[in-house]
Amino acid sequence: MELQEYLDQTEAVEQEGFKVDDEQKANWALRKIAQFQKQQKQNNELATIEISKIEDWNKSENERLQQSIDFFQGHLAAFAMEQREKDAKFKSLKLPNGRIGFRKKQAKWNYDDDQVIESLKKAEMTDFINITEKPNKSQIKKSFEVMNGKVVNPDTGEFIDGITVDEPGEDFTVKVDES
């Protein structure tokens, strides 16, 4: 018999009607929590190992399948190029199981934001420049005070609209010693 089972039997505690009304029962409850947390940790470790194995299998299988896809796509591309050599206007070919062809790519615009902004300012085209305004939240927290869930400027007594503060109560915590 494991130590945990022995201790459970000697204390003869049942969950139905169980109530912590002395230090011995509180200690027993903490021991049970530690036991359950240990089991959760073991379950998570086992699951992680199994998930890792499944992910490795999935990656391996998909890599093998991707090689086959690449093989057939390469041959289809060569076939499409042959069709284009025969007919310069060839764009695509629709077949019962799909379509092959060529599609014009969109131009990719590359921006050096600082240089663009400088150039637009010099040309006096500021309509093309976005100006983003955001509250400096860390400075607001440092500079203002909270009164009844509202933010107030301590120097003027003026309330700042658009901010509410939820004052948290207390949380009950349980910390068990790991064994």
Side-chain angles (χ1 to χ4, degrees):
M1 177 181 295
E2 285 189 31
L3 174 62
Q4 295 298 333
E5 291 174 17
Y6 173 77
L7 291 172
D8 289 348
Q9 274 186 351
T10 59
E11 293 169 355
V13 176
E14 296 180 20
Q15 285 189 352
E16 287 184 32
F18 175 72
K19 181 179 178 185
V20 175
D21 52 11
D22 61 26
E23 288 183 13
Q24 182 180 356
K25 287 182 181 176
N27 188 52
W28 178 85
L30 289 169
R31 187 170 58 245
K32 291 302 288 183
I33 291 171
Q35 180 183 352
F36 294 138
Q37 287 175 340
K38 182 179 177 183
Q39 186 63 50
Q40 283 179 327
K41 183 179 176 187
Q42 289 171 345
N43 291 347
N44 289 339
E45 288 170 357
L46 177 62
T48 299
I49 291 168
E50 291 301 313
I51 290 169
S52 177
K53 288 178 186 177
I54 292 169
E55 287 173 344
D56 290 346
W57 168 83
N58 187 44
K59 182 180 176 188
S60 170
E61 286 297 306
N62 285 338
E63 285 173 356
R64 183 181 60 79
L65 294 169
Q66 189 60 49
Q67 288 175 352
S68 296
I69 291 168
D70 293 344
F71 171 80
F72 288 112
Q73 284 180 341
H75 285 287
L76 288 169
F79 173 72
M81 291 298 289
E82 288 175 12
Q83 298 306 306
R84 180 169 267 180
E85 287 173 8
K86 291 178 188 175
D87 178 8
K89 294 182 181 181
F90 175 80
K91 296 280 185 204
S92 66
L93 175 63
K94 184 167 177 17
L95 299 166
N97 287 307
R99 176 185 292 261
I100 61 170
F102 299 96
R103 192 171 16 155
K104 188 172 182 175
K105 291 182 179 181
Q106 289 286 343
K108 183 179 181 215
W109 291 43
N110 301 303
Y111 295 92
D112 177 337
D113 290 351
D114 294 334
Q115 208 171 13
V116 172
I117 290 171
E118 186 66 32
S119 178
L120 290 170
K121 283 181 179 178
K122 280 183 184 175
E124 296 182 9
M125 293 189 269
T126 56
D127 293 348
F128 296 100
I129 301 172
N130 288 332
I131 299 174
T132 305
E133 292 182 347
K134 291 194 275 185
N136 185 337
K137 294 175 183 176
S138 62
Q139 194 62 37
I140 289 171
K141 284 181 182 180
K142 289 178 191 173
S143 302
F144 299 125
E145 295 176 0
V146 177
M147 183 183 300
N148 297 327
K150 299 202 182 255
V151 176
V152 64
N153 183 337
D155 298 333
T156 64
E158 183 178 358
F159 286 98
I160 308 300
D161 293 331
I163 305 173
T164 59
V165 179
D166 297 326
E167 296 283 350
E170 292 182 324
D171 279 341
F172 174 72
T173 61
V174 175
K175 183 169 180 359
V176 295
D177 297 331
E178 294 183 26
S179 49

